[in-house]
Short mmCIF file of all heavy atoms in Angstrom, two decimals:
data_model
loop_
_atom_site.label_atom_id
_atom_site.label_comp_id
_atom_site.label_asym_id
_atom_site.label_seq_id
_atom_site.Cartn_x
_atom_site.Cartn_y
_atom_site.Cartn_z
N ILE A 1 -11.70 -27.30 -10.96
CA ILE A 1 -11.82 -25.87 -10.72
C ILE A 1 -13.06 -25.33 -11.40
O ILE A 1 -13.70 -24.40 -10.91
CB ILE A 1 -10.55 -25.14 -11.20
CG1 ILE A 1 -10.61 -23.64 -10.85
CG2 ILE A 1 -10.34 -25.32 -12.69
CD1 ILE A 1 -10.64 -23.35 -9.40
N ASP A 2 -13.47 -25.96 -12.51
CA ASP A 2 -14.69 -25.54 -13.19
C ASP A 2 -15.90 -25.75 -12.28
O ASP A 2 -16.82 -24.93 -12.27
CB ASP A 2 -14.88 -26.30 -14.49
CG ASP A 2 -13.82 -25.96 -15.52
OD1 ASP A 2 -13.26 -24.85 -15.44
OD2 ASP A 2 -13.55 -26.79 -16.40
N TYR A 3 -15.92 -26.87 -11.52
CA TYR A 3 -17.03 -27.11 -10.60
C TYR A 3 -17.05 -26.06 -9.49
O TYR A 3 -18.11 -25.58 -9.09
CB TYR A 3 -16.90 -28.50 -9.95
CG TYR A 3 -17.04 -29.67 -10.88
CD1 TYR A 3 -16.48 -30.90 -10.55
CD2 TYR A 3 -17.74 -29.58 -12.08
CE1 TYR A 3 -16.60 -32.01 -11.39
CE2 TYR A 3 -17.87 -30.68 -12.93
CZ TYR A 3 -17.30 -31.89 -12.58
OH TYR A 3 -17.42 -32.97 -13.40
N VAL A 4 -15.87 -25.73 -8.98
CA VAL A 4 -15.78 -24.73 -7.92
C VAL A 4 -16.29 -23.38 -8.42
O VAL A 4 -17.06 -22.69 -7.73
CB VAL A 4 -14.34 -24.61 -7.40
CG1 VAL A 4 -14.22 -23.47 -6.39
CG2 VAL A 4 -13.88 -25.92 -6.77
N ILE A 5 -15.87 -23.00 -9.60
CA ILE A 5 -16.32 -21.72 -10.18
C ILE A 5 -17.83 -21.75 -10.40
O ILE A 5 -18.53 -20.78 -10.07
CB ILE A 5 -15.57 -21.45 -11.50
CG1 ILE A 5 -14.10 -21.12 -11.19
CG2 ILE A 5 -16.23 -20.32 -12.28
CD1 ILE A 5 -13.21 -21.10 -12.40
N SER A 6 -18.35 -22.85 -10.93
CA SER A 6 -19.79 -22.96 -11.15
C SER A 6 -20.56 -22.87 -9.84
O SER A 6 -21.61 -22.23 -9.76
CB SER A 6 -20.12 -24.28 -11.86
OG SER A 6 -19.56 -24.32 -13.16
N ALA A 7 -20.03 -23.53 -8.80
CA ALA A 7 -20.69 -23.50 -7.49
C ALA A 7 -20.71 -22.09 -6.93
O ALA A 7 -21.72 -21.64 -6.37
CB ALA A 7 -19.99 -24.46 -6.54
N LEU A 8 -19.60 -21.37 -7.05
CA LEU A 8 -19.55 -20.01 -6.52
C LEU A 8 -20.48 -19.09 -7.30
O LEU A 8 -21.17 -18.25 -6.72
CB LEU A 8 -18.11 -19.49 -6.54
CG LEU A 8 -17.88 -18.10 -5.94
CD1 LEU A 8 -18.44 -18.01 -4.52
CD2 LEU A 8 -16.41 -17.74 -5.96
N LYS A 9 -20.53 -19.26 -8.61
CA LYS A 9 -21.46 -18.46 -9.42
C LYS A 9 -22.89 -18.72 -8.98
O LYS A 9 -23.71 -17.81 -8.86
CB LYS A 9 -21.30 -18.82 -10.91
CG LYS A 9 -20.07 -18.24 -11.57
CD LYS A 9 -20.02 -18.65 -13.04
CE LYS A 9 -18.81 -18.06 -13.75
NZ LYS A 9 -18.73 -18.52 -15.16
N TYR A 10 -23.20 -19.98 -8.72
CA TYR A 10 -24.54 -20.38 -8.29
C TYR A 10 -24.88 -19.72 -6.95
O TYR A 10 -25.97 -19.18 -6.76
CB TYR A 10 -24.59 -21.89 -8.17
CG TYR A 10 -25.95 -22.50 -7.93
CD1 TYR A 10 -26.67 -23.07 -8.97
CD2 TYR A 10 -26.52 -22.54 -6.66
CE1 TYR A 10 -27.91 -23.65 -8.76
CE2 TYR A 10 -27.75 -23.11 -6.43
CZ TYR A 10 -28.45 -23.67 -7.48
OH TYR A 10 -29.67 -24.24 -7.26
N ALA A 11 -23.92 -19.77 -6.02
CA ALA A 11 -24.15 -19.17 -4.70
C ALA A 11 -24.41 -17.68 -4.81
O ALA A 11 -25.34 -17.15 -4.19
CB ALA A 11 -22.94 -19.44 -3.80
N ILE A 12 -23.61 -17.00 -5.60
CA ILE A 12 -23.76 -15.55 -5.75
C ILE A 12 -25.10 -15.21 -6.39
O ILE A 12 -25.83 -14.33 -5.91
CB ILE A 12 -22.59 -14.98 -6.57
CG1 ILE A 12 -21.27 -15.11 -5.79
CG2 ILE A 12 -22.85 -13.53 -6.94
CD1 ILE A 12 -20.04 -14.82 -6.62
N SER A 13 -25.44 -15.92 -7.45
CA SER A 13 -26.68 -15.60 -8.18
C SER A 13 -27.92 -15.97 -7.40
O SER A 13 -29.01 -15.46 -7.67
CB SER A 13 -26.68 -16.29 -9.55
OG SER A 13 -26.70 -17.70 -9.40
N ASN A 14 -27.80 -16.87 -6.41
CA ASN A 14 -28.95 -17.29 -5.62
C ASN A 14 -28.99 -16.66 -4.24
O ASN A 14 -29.68 -17.14 -3.35
CB ASN A 14 -28.98 -18.81 -5.52
CG ASN A 14 -29.52 -19.46 -6.78
OD1 ASN A 14 -30.73 -19.54 -6.99
ND2 ASN A 14 -28.61 -19.91 -7.64
N GLY A 15 -28.24 -15.59 -4.05
CA GLY A 15 -28.42 -14.76 -2.87
C GLY A 15 -27.59 -15.09 -1.66
O GLY A 15 -27.89 -14.62 -0.56
N ALA A 16 -26.52 -15.88 -1.81
CA ALA A 16 -25.67 -16.17 -0.65
C ALA A 16 -24.98 -14.90 -0.16
O ALA A 16 -24.50 -14.09 -0.96
CB ALA A 16 -24.63 -17.22 -1.01
N HIS A 17 -24.96 -14.71 1.14
CA HIS A 17 -24.26 -13.58 1.74
C HIS A 17 -22.83 -13.94 2.15
O HIS A 17 -21.95 -13.09 2.18
CB HIS A 17 -25.01 -13.09 2.98
CG HIS A 17 -26.39 -12.59 2.70
ND1 HIS A 17 -26.65 -11.38 2.09
CD2 HIS A 17 -27.61 -13.15 2.93
CE1 HIS A 17 -27.94 -11.20 1.97
NE2 HIS A 17 -28.56 -12.27 2.47
N VAL A 18 -22.63 -15.21 2.51
CA VAL A 18 -21.33 -15.71 2.96
C VAL A 18 -21.08 -17.04 2.25
O VAL A 18 -21.99 -17.86 2.13
CB VAL A 18 -21.31 -15.95 4.48
CG1 VAL A 18 -19.90 -16.29 4.96
CG2 VAL A 18 -21.87 -14.76 5.24
N VAL A 19 -19.85 -17.24 1.78
CA VAL A 19 -19.48 -18.49 1.13
C VAL A 19 -18.23 -19.03 1.81
O VAL A 19 -17.24 -18.30 1.99
CB VAL A 19 -19.20 -18.29 -0.37
CG1 VAL A 19 -18.69 -19.58 -1.00
CG2 VAL A 19 -20.46 -17.82 -1.10
N ASN A 20 -18.29 -20.29 2.24
CA ASN A 20 -17.10 -20.93 2.80
C ASN A 20 -16.47 -21.85 1.77
O ASN A 20 -17.13 -22.75 1.24
CB ASN A 20 -17.46 -21.73 4.05
CG ASN A 20 -16.23 -22.35 4.68
OD1 ASN A 20 -15.42 -21.65 5.29
ND2 ASN A 20 -16.05 -23.65 4.52
N LEU A 21 -15.20 -21.63 1.48
CA LEU A 21 -14.44 -22.47 0.57
C LEU A 21 -13.37 -23.20 1.37
O LEU A 21 -12.23 -22.72 1.49
CB LEU A 21 -13.80 -21.64 -0.55
CG LEU A 21 -14.74 -20.97 -1.56
CD1 LEU A 21 -13.92 -20.16 -2.56
CD2 LEU A 21 -15.61 -21.98 -2.28
N SER A 22 -13.71 -24.33 1.94
CA SER A 22 -12.71 -25.13 2.66
C SER A 22 -11.99 -26.01 1.65
O SER A 22 -12.13 -27.24 1.64
CB SER A 22 -13.39 -25.97 3.75
OG SER A 22 -13.66 -25.18 4.89
N LEU A 23 -11.21 -25.36 0.80
CA LEU A 23 -10.51 -26.06 -0.27
C LEU A 23 -9.38 -25.18 -0.79
O LEU A 23 -9.33 -23.98 -0.52
CB LEU A 23 -11.48 -26.41 -1.41
CG LEU A 23 -12.38 -25.29 -1.95
CD1 LEU A 23 -11.67 -24.44 -3.00
CD2 LEU A 23 -13.65 -25.87 -2.55
N LEU A 24 -8.48 -25.80 -1.54
CA LEU A 24 -7.42 -25.08 -2.24
C LEU A 24 -7.59 -25.31 -3.73
O LEU A 24 -8.04 -26.38 -4.15
CB LEU A 24 -6.04 -25.56 -1.79
CG LEU A 24 -5.69 -25.32 -0.32
CD1 LEU A 24 -4.34 -25.96 -0.01
CD2 LEU A 24 -5.65 -23.83 0.00
N THR A 25 -7.25 -24.32 -4.52
CA THR A 25 -7.37 -24.43 -5.97
C THR A 25 -6.06 -24.01 -6.62
O THR A 25 -5.13 -23.55 -5.94
CB THR A 25 -8.48 -23.51 -6.50
OG1 THR A 25 -8.05 -22.14 -6.36
CG2 THR A 25 -9.79 -23.73 -5.75
N GLY A 26 -6.00 -24.11 -7.91
CA GLY A 26 -4.89 -23.54 -8.65
C GLY A 26 -5.05 -22.02 -8.74
O GLY A 26 -6.03 -21.45 -8.26
N ASN A 27 -4.09 -21.38 -9.35
CA ASN A 27 -4.12 -19.92 -9.48
C ASN A 27 -5.03 -19.54 -10.64
O ASN A 27 -4.57 -19.18 -11.73
CB ASN A 27 -2.71 -19.40 -9.69
CG ASN A 27 -2.64 -17.88 -9.62
OD1 ASN A 27 -3.58 -17.24 -9.16
ND2 ASN A 27 -1.53 -17.31 -10.07
N SER A 28 -6.33 -19.63 -10.41
CA SER A 28 -7.33 -19.41 -11.45
C SER A 28 -7.70 -17.94 -11.55
O SER A 28 -8.28 -17.37 -10.62
CB SER A 28 -8.58 -20.24 -11.15
OG SER A 28 -9.66 -19.82 -11.94
N ALA A 29 -7.40 -17.33 -12.68
CA ALA A 29 -7.78 -15.93 -12.90
C ALA A 29 -9.29 -15.78 -12.90
O ALA A 29 -9.83 -14.77 -12.43
CB ALA A 29 -7.19 -15.43 -14.21
N GLU A 30 -10.01 -16.79 -13.41
CA GLU A 30 -11.47 -16.71 -13.46
C GLU A 30 -12.07 -16.72 -12.05
O GLU A 30 -12.98 -15.96 -11.75
CB GLU A 30 -12.04 -17.86 -14.28
CG GLU A 30 -13.55 -17.75 -14.47
CD GLU A 30 -14.13 -18.84 -15.36
OE1 GLU A 30 -13.36 -19.70 -15.84
OE2 GLU A 30 -15.35 -18.82 -15.57
N LEU A 31 -11.54 -17.58 -11.17
CA LEU A 31 -12.04 -17.62 -9.80
C LEU A 31 -11.73 -16.31 -9.08
O LEU A 31 -12.57 -15.78 -8.35
CB LEU A 31 -11.43 -18.80 -9.04
CG LEU A 31 -11.91 -18.99 -7.60
CD1 LEU A 31 -13.41 -19.23 -7.55
CD2 LEU A 31 -11.17 -20.15 -6.93
N TYR A 32 -10.55 -15.79 -9.29
CA TYR A 32 -10.16 -14.51 -8.69
C TYR A 32 -11.14 -13.41 -9.11
O TYR A 32 -11.66 -12.66 -8.28
CB TYR A 32 -8.75 -14.14 -9.12
CG TYR A 32 -8.23 -12.82 -8.58
CD1 TYR A 32 -7.43 -12.78 -7.46
CD2 TYR A 32 -8.56 -11.62 -9.21
CE1 TYR A 32 -6.94 -11.57 -6.96
CE2 TYR A 32 -8.10 -10.41 -8.72
CZ TYR A 32 -7.29 -10.40 -7.60
OH TYR A 32 -6.83 -9.19 -7.12
N ARG A 33 -11.40 -13.32 -10.42
CA ARG A 33 -12.29 -12.27 -10.92
C ARG A 33 -13.70 -12.45 -10.39
O ARG A 33 -14.42 -11.48 -10.15
CB ARG A 33 -12.28 -12.26 -12.45
CG ARG A 33 -10.99 -11.72 -13.07
CD ARG A 33 -11.17 -11.44 -14.54
NE ARG A 33 -11.49 -12.65 -15.30
CZ ARG A 33 -10.59 -13.42 -15.88
NH1 ARG A 33 -9.30 -13.13 -15.79
NH2 ARG A 33 -10.96 -14.50 -16.55
N LEU A 34 -14.12 -13.70 -10.20
CA LEU A 34 -15.46 -13.96 -9.70
C LEU A 34 -15.63 -13.45 -8.27
O LEU A 34 -16.63 -12.81 -7.94
CB LEU A 34 -15.75 -15.46 -9.78
CG LEU A 34 -17.15 -15.91 -9.33
CD1 LEU A 34 -18.23 -15.22 -10.15
CD2 LEU A 34 -17.26 -17.42 -9.47
N ILE A 35 -14.66 -13.74 -7.41
CA ILE A 35 -14.70 -13.23 -6.04
C ILE A 35 -14.67 -11.70 -6.05
O ILE A 35 -15.41 -11.03 -5.33
CB ILE A 35 -13.55 -13.80 -5.20
CG1 ILE A 35 -13.66 -15.33 -5.09
CG2 ILE A 35 -13.53 -13.18 -3.80
CD1 ILE A 35 -12.46 -16.00 -4.46
N GLN A 36 -13.83 -11.16 -6.91
CA GLN A 36 -13.70 -9.71 -7.02
C GLN A 36 -15.00 -9.07 -7.51
O GLN A 36 -15.33 -7.94 -7.10
CB GLN A 36 -12.56 -9.39 -7.99
CG GLN A 36 -12.19 -7.93 -8.12
CD GLN A 36 -11.06 -7.74 -9.11
OE1 GLN A 36 -11.07 -8.30 -10.22
NE2 GLN A 36 -10.05 -6.98 -8.71
N SER A 37 -15.75 -9.77 -8.34
CA SER A 37 -16.96 -9.21 -8.95
C SER A 37 -18.14 -9.17 -7.99
O SER A 37 -19.19 -8.59 -8.31
CB SER A 37 -17.35 -10.03 -10.18
OG SER A 37 -17.87 -11.30 -9.81
N ALA A 38 -18.01 -9.81 -6.82
CA ALA A 38 -19.11 -9.87 -5.85
C ALA A 38 -18.64 -9.32 -4.51
O ALA A 38 -18.53 -10.04 -3.52
CB ALA A 38 -19.61 -11.30 -5.71
N PRO A 39 -18.34 -8.02 -4.43
CA PRO A 39 -17.73 -7.45 -3.22
C PRO A 39 -18.61 -7.52 -1.98
O PRO A 39 -18.11 -7.40 -0.86
CB PRO A 39 -17.44 -6.00 -3.61
CG PRO A 39 -18.41 -5.71 -4.72
CD PRO A 39 -18.57 -6.99 -5.46
N ASP A 40 -19.91 -7.72 -2.16
CA ASP A 40 -20.81 -7.81 -1.01
C ASP A 40 -20.93 -9.23 -0.47
O ASP A 40 -21.57 -9.45 0.57
CB ASP A 40 -22.20 -7.29 -1.38
CG ASP A 40 -22.19 -5.80 -1.70
OD1 ASP A 40 -21.33 -5.09 -1.14
OD2 ASP A 40 -23.02 -5.36 -2.52
#
């Protein structure tokens, strides 16, 4: 899950407009907050 979070942070910080997560994760509060923090 740490890799997934790092990858999503990387995508957001490098200008991705759309992110596809073809995966399932645990109930990660950090991942939830990360998606929430990038509403665009």
Side-chain angles (χ1 to χ4, degrees):
I1 184 64
D2 293 335
Y3 294 156
V4 174
I5 290 169
S6 295
L8 184 53
K9 285 180 178 177
Y10 189 101
I12 293 169
S13 64
N14 282 279
H17 298 286
V18 187
V19 175
N20 182 73
L21 293 178
S22 280
L23 50 84
L24 296 175
T25 70
N27 189 14
S28 166
E30 185 176 1
L31 182 60
Y32 179 98
R33 288 193 298 268
L34 182 58
I35 298 172
Q36 186 180 47
S37 72
D40 295 331

